[in-house]
């Protein structure tokens, strides 16, 4: 528990330092995402993102609040990018059942501490030397970095860190055809063809000019709930994003 407390303190201090730096430079923007059930279009939750950037526009940190349609906080997520834009360190706290995890990126591993309420489990996940490792919203930074190549038809392979499995899973990112000339559509799908037959891809729509995500469709990182019970499966949603502030 002592080591966990120290990690949390270091994480918080770093975040506050990054936030202060970004606020003083006014390199901050916010956006919201409204997540709708894919099957019946019911509003599931609302995401509120606050992103802090350095003077060159690189992501420093990101805070995300997930609230239900009545405004009750469901989940609080914090990302600290540092010098690893695709593999940020991450804190995820589910306020409904006090479960959560912290993932800390290192040179060759991701250190995962997962709290199930009744137990605290620790994992050390090795990173591949041949594949680009990605965690959570790092996929957005990966896409931004490779925008021109992807739009030219390149297929990008990467390893995605799955906290619930404490492992890396192979995925690939590619552009899809779109009739809307003002947007660019991409998909994320498993690298293994057999798994692709069983799992729907994640569909991403980006504004072609600003290169910002405007729509997401697929599995989310938020566990479903029924009443007061949080389930062991995540929402499948279509998320529509609106940008509130600009830099």
């Amino acid at each position: 528990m002592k080591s966990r407390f120290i990690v949390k303190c270091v994480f918080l201090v770093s975040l506050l330092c990054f936030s202060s730096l970004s606020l003083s430079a006014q390199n901050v923007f916010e956006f919201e995402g409204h997540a709708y059930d894919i099957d019946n279009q019911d509003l599931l939750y609302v995401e509120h993102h606050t992103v802090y950037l350095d003077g060159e526009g690189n992501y420093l940190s990101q805070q995300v609040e997930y609230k239900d349609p009545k405004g009750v906080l469901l989940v609080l997520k914090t990302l600290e990018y540092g010098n690893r834009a695709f593999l940020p360190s991450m804190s995820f706290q589910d306020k409904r059942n006090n479960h959560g995890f912290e993932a800390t990126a290192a040179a060759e591993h991701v250190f995962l501490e997962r709290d199930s309420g009744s137990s605290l489990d620790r994992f050390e996940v090795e990173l591949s030397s041949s594949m680009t490792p990605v965690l959570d919203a790092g996929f957005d930074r990966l896409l931004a970095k490779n925008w021109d190549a992807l739009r030219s038809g390149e297929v990008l392979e990467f390893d995605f860190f799955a906290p619930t499995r404490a492992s890396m899973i192979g995925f690939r990112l590619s552009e899809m055809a779109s009739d809307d000339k003002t947007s660019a559509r991409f998909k994320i799908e498993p690298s293994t063809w057999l798994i692709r037959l069983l799992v729907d891809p994640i569909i991403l729509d980006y504004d072609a000019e600003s290169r910002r995500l405007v729509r997401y469709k697929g599995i989310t990182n938020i566990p479903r709930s029924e009443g007061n019970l949080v389930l062991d499966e995540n929402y499948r949603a279509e998320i529509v994003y609106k940008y509130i502030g600009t830099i």
Side-chain angles (χ1 to χ4, degrees):
M1 293 299 294
K2 183 178 180 181
S3 63
R4 185 182 180 216
F5 177 76
I6 293 174
V7 169
K8 283 187 174 181
C9 288
V10 172
F11 188 91
L12 180 58
V13 169
S14 299
L15 177 60
L16 290 174
C17 289
F18 279 137
S19 298
S20 299
L21 174 62
S22 300
L23 284 170
S24 64
Q26 295 185 339
N27 291 338
V28 181
F29 73 91
E30 299 176 79
F31 62 98
E32 284 188 346
H34 286 70
Y36 300 93
D37 187 284
I38 287 179
D39 296 322
N40 57 30
Q41 290 301 301
D42 287 345
L43 179 62
L44 299 173
Y45 58 84
V46 178
E47 310 173 0
H48 185 92
H49 299 248
T50 304
V51 181
Y52 302 93
L53 310 160
D54 64 15
E56 298 179 351
N58 301 309
Y59 279 41
L60 291 175
S61 63
Q62 185 172 354
Q63 296 172 302
V64 190
E65 292 183 338
Y66 300 84
K67 296 182 178 181
D68 72 10
K70 295 181 179 180
V72 177
L73 182 64
L74 303 175
V75 172
L76 181 62
K77 182 178 76 176
T78 303
L79 300 170
E80 183 182 329
Y81 291 88
N83 60 354
R84 305 197 68 165
F86 311 150
L87 192 69
S89 292
M90 177 178 175
S91 173
F92 184 96
Q93 299 297 324
D94 195 322
K95 301 300 182 180
R96 296 167 295 180
N97 56 9
N98 292 320
H99 291 192
F101 67 85
E102 293 181 5
T104 305
E108 299 179 351
H109 298 83
V110 173
F111 298 97
L112 175 66
E113 187 175 83
R114 200 163 59 197
D115 188 349
S116 64
S118 59
S119 64
L120 186 64
D121 300 312
R122 295 182 176 89
F123 305 88
E124 185 174 315
V125 181
E126 185 175 359
L127 302 179
S128 170
S129 59
S130 60
M131 296 292 289
T132 301
V134 176
L135 192 156
D136 198 73
F139 82 83
D140 178 73
R141 300 295 82 214
L142 180 71
L143 195 153
K145 181 72 173 181
N146 296 275
W147 179 272
D148 292 332
L150 288 165
R151 298 227 63 189
S152 297
E154 183 175 319
V155 177
L156 189 62
E157 303 269 352
F158 63 94
D159 275 349
F160 193 83
F161 180 71
T164 55
R165 299 185 181 183
S167 64
M168 308 296 293
I169 302 176
F171 280 89
R172 65 182 193 177
L173 172 63
S174 61
E175 185 176 15
M176 299 176 64
S178 175
D179 295 332
D180 185 358
K181 301 303 180 182
T182 65
S183 66
R185 175 166 291 181
F186 303 90
K187 65 178 177 180
I188 296 175
E189 58 187 351
S191 297
T192 305
W193 71 270
L194 182 59
I195 300 179
R196 287 201 298 273
L197 297 177
L198 305 174
V199 179
D200 291 333
I202 292 171
I203 307 300
L204 310 165
D205 287 335
Y206 279 74
D207 180 84
E209 183 176 355
S210 67
R211 301 187 180 185
R212 286 181 171 175
L213 180 64
V214 294
R215 190 180 303 270
Y216 173 107
K217 184 176 181 180
I219 190 73
T220 75
N221 61 345
I222 304 300
R224 290 183 56 204
S225 61
E226 293 181 357
N228 295 324
L229 180 63
V230 179
L231 306 178
D232 289 330
E233 60 177 304
N234 291 3
Y235 286 117
R236 294 177 65 255
E238 182 173 0
I239 309 174
V240 180
Y241 291 99
K242 177 182 178 181
Y243 290 81
I244 303 168
T246 58
I247 60 171

